[in-house]
Amino acid sequence: MTKPLVAIRSVSKSFGEFQALRSVSLDVWPGEVMCLIGASGSGKTTLLRCINQLAAIDSGGIWLDGELLGVREQNGRLYRLSEREIGRQRLKTGMVFQRFNLFPHKTALENVTEGPLQVQGRKSDEVRAEALELLRRVGLSAKADWYPAQLSGGQQQRVAIARALAMKPMLMLFDEPTSALDPELVGEVLAVMKELARSGMTMLVVTHELGFAREVADRVVYMDQGAIVEQGRASDVLGAPREERTKAFLSAVI
Amino acid sequence: MKPVPALAEGFPDLSGMRIAREPHWFRWLSAALIVLVLAAIVRAFAGGQIEWSYVSRFLTAKVILEGIVNTMVMAVLAMALGIVLGVVVAVMRLSPNPVLKTVAAGYTWLFRGTPLILQLLLWFNLALVFPTIGIPGLWSARAVDVMTPFLAALLGLGINQGAYTSEVMRAGMLSVDIGQYEAAQAIGMGRLRALRRIILPQAMRVVIPPLGNEFIGMVKATSLASVIQYPELLHNAENIYYANSRVIELLIVAGLWYLLVVSILTPLQMLLERRFARGTLRLAR
């Protein structure tokens, strides 16, 4: 019996008065491609950030690869993990940001090698070879020595995907990876993500690209006001939604 | 569907014509006026009670040259101390730990809140408070022997500079996008490594112009150490005019040296700025 790669149980999170997540529970299975859709403020990005521990949850628990994230349980109490341990847990996930967040003072290649060299402390010739292979995989072999400012948005996002993959994560998190892109550049990023999905990577994608969700996602989750409203196969949720709120959202988006 | 009309008549072709130069009468006039005023000032000084031969004689005198060397040594060392302290204090100030935060804020408050010359005098006269200093049981010495003019000037100038530099560094770190911290965290970096590898190199680009400013200020602030007998440029110039009474001549000598040093520092700063501008659009293309 396989276990879920990510198990989210009764997770709540507030920012001051605003409740971003309301007791969310969800499993992500190994090899699964899951798309989170919903209006802005529905909590989908917060959920992603909680899995990567860029935001700390208020209550509930998230298990990644069987390991409880951010805290450890002892004698019925929870203790926060040290920064070092949280850093180690983060290595299991790769994060791709809406605004790329490439390091502007480093070339494309240096962006990709930074984590393996500095954090994992691996050997430089081996890391370099792998990084060049990753850049080839995202179609940017020719741009290895270019700085982010010299690249288009789509190219920057593909470097960011390569940077995340360089840490050899078990799970890739995408936070609206195409929302900051000019329309003509969206396709090249989605193509890289499709290739990644086909290679068997487990992916959790917050997106407004319903076409991508329909084509690639194994499962689509619709969130509203910090809670999961509806989930299921992409064709079901997007093609024949059961909930009124899902129907309203989809008709507003399309 | 309406047909697309051809270009309308009545708009002449201007493609071969140039825009005429403006005469700028007022600029010429004001420039001439300024030159006149400057000439009058130069003439006044040339005819004043200044023995210019003393200026040229003492410009390269051994004591003056030693003074400028001591000035630069002190400026560089005190600035280095100031930058180290400034980075540490800025990092403390931005840390989530309230103890570190308060200590950092207190340091800045204390050393920005009192005059530099007062701090120099306090360091130099530390022996009045603590006649002997040291580690109990291991080592001790008389404070007057330890607190030389050099050490007092270095501590006074450097620690004071740290308070100002910490604010410059803090501004630089705040100027780096929060997404850079998150991206660094997402590839598993801890806070300090992210600061060192990702945040500080980007902050440097922003802080170099104000740091250059601070360093120029430091070169001149070393002259305050003359009150605690540190043999820097102004102190040595003063010693000469106490002996020969050529006050203005020696002050001009010192002034020319300060001007020269500052003139050399400005292009050096531009070189540094270029070094840290790596990856910015302007220079990368």
Side-chain angles (χ1 to χ4, degrees), chain B:
Chain B
M1 232 175 47
K2 277 195 242 173
V4 179
L7 289 175
E9 297 288 326
F11 299 93
D13 180 15
L14 302 182
S15 58
M17 293 187 205
R18 290 201 157 187
I19 295 172
R21 278 186 131 190
E22 287 174 65
H24 293 305
W25 295 119
F26 191 72
R27 288 185 198 175
W28 284 107
L29 193 72
S30 49
L33 219 72
I34 290 167
V35 169
L36 263 171
V37 170
L38 285 178
I41 293 175
V42 168
R43 191 165 166 275
F45 269 86
Q49 303 269 340
I50 299 173
E51 285 291 339
W52 289 97
S53 61
Y54 276 90
V55 173
S56 58
R57 218 169 86 206
F58 280 101
L59 200 58
T60 52
K62 189 161 171 282
V63 184
I64 293 292
L65 293 181
E66 282 170 5
I68 190 70
V69 167
N70 285 340
T71 288
M72 289 317 293
V73 166
M74 181 53 66
V76 168
L77 290 180
M79 193 69 197
L81 178 61
I83 289 176
V84 170
L85 282 173
V87 171
V88 171
V89 172
V91 170
M92 285 165 68
R93 194 82 187 262
L94 293 174
S95 105
N97 181 333
V99 177
L100 292 180
K101 257 186 174 154
T102 311
V103 169
Y107 164 80
T108 311
W109 170 78
L110 184 64
F111 287 94
R112 279 200 314 186
T114 49
L116 176 52
I117 193 162
L118 183 144
Q119 291 174 33
L120 286 167
L121 288 167
L122 279 177
W123 283 111
F124 189 55
N125 292 303
L126 203 66
L128 299 178
V129 191
F130 309 107
T132 55
I133 50 176
I135 309 155
L138 278 176
W139 166 84
S140 74
R142 291 198 314 150
V144 271
D145 297 334
V146 176
M147 199 50 75
T148 57
F150 174 84
L151 189 61
L154 178 62
L155 290 175
L157 292 166
I159 292 175
N160 180 267
Q161 186 61 46
Y164 286 91
T165 307
S166 73
E167 287 296 282
V168 172
M169 297 307 297
R170 192 165 69 95
M173 289 185 216
L174 289 175
S175 77
V176 178
D177 186 66
I178 185 81
Q180 292 289 314
Y181 286 94
E182 294 185 343
Q185 284 183 326
I187 58 170
M189 284 192 179
R191 226 178 82 79
L192 287 180
R193 195 194 299 271
L195 274 172
R196 189 167 57 80
R197 298 282 310 173
I198 307 300
I199 306 303
L200 282 177
Q202 294 182 59
M204 285 314 279
R205 201 170 64 81
V206 181
V207 302
I208 283 177
L211 277 190
N213 212 20
E214 296 280 311
F215 185 59
I216 286 172
M218 171 62 85
V219 169
K220 292 173 296 173
T222 53
S223 62
L224 290 176
S226 60
V227 300
I228 56 168
Q229 315 305 319
Y230 178 68
E232 47 72 52
L233 178 56
L234 185 65
H235 184 257
N236 289 4
E238 283 174 341
N239 277 347
I240 298 174
Y241 72 61
Y242 290 149
N244 69 2
S245 301
R246 291 290 168 189
V247 178
I248 296 297
E249 288 80 356
L250 278 147
L251 288 179
I252 288 174
V253 165
L256 286 174
W257 272 110
Y258 284 118
L259 268 179
L260 179 72
V261 167
V262 171
S263 309
I264 293 170
L265 287 176
T266 311
L268 280 182
Q269 177 184 332
M270 280 172 67
L271 285 178
L272 258 185
E273 277 180 38
R274 212 166 291 179
R275 169 74 178 72
F276 281 102
R278 245 185 332 175
T280 52
L281 201 57
R282 213 156 18 112
L283 288 146
R285 285 215 193 272

Side-chain angles (χ1 to χ4, degrees), chain A residues 119-168:
Chain A
V119 179
Q120 295 176 325
R122 293 169 51 204
K123 282 209 295 287
S124 77
D125 43 351
E126 167 192 315
V127 166
R128 198 183 139 84
E130 275 181 25
L132 286 170
E133 168 57 22
L134 280 170
L135 285 176
R136 193 198 57 75
R137 193 170 163 193
V138 299
L140 290 173
S141 294
K143 307 284 186 188
D145 295 326
W146 291 40
Y147 285 97
Q150 297 169 296
L151 302 175
S152 74
Q155 291 168 336
Q156 288 189 52
Q157 193 61 297
R158 287 186 281 152
V159 173
I161 293 172
R163 177 176 70 180
L165 289 173
M167 307 301 286
K168 303 187 178 168

Side-chain angles (χ1 to χ4, degrees), chain A residues 36-97:
Chain A
L36 295 173
I37 61 171
S40 60
S42 60
K44 52 198 194 312
T45 290
T46 303
L47 186 60
L48 214 61
R49 292 170 62 86
C50 287
I51 295 171
N52 202 26
Q53 304 191 60
L54 290 174
I57 61 178
D58 296 337
S59 63
I62 302 176
W63 285 260
L64 175 64
D65 190 29
E67 186 184 1
L68 183 57
L69 293 183
V71 288
R72 84 193 137 77
E73 193 197 335
Q74 200 176 336
N75 305 328
R77 293 192 71 169
L78 293 176
Y79 298 89
R80 205 174 285 287
L81 293 181
S82 71
E83 196 192 321
R84 179 180 292 269
E85 286 170 290
I86 288 174
R88 182 184 54 77
Q89 290 185 334
R90 278 207 188 97
L91 293 182
K92 293 184 179 177
T93 58
M95 180 89 171
V96 175
F97 297 90

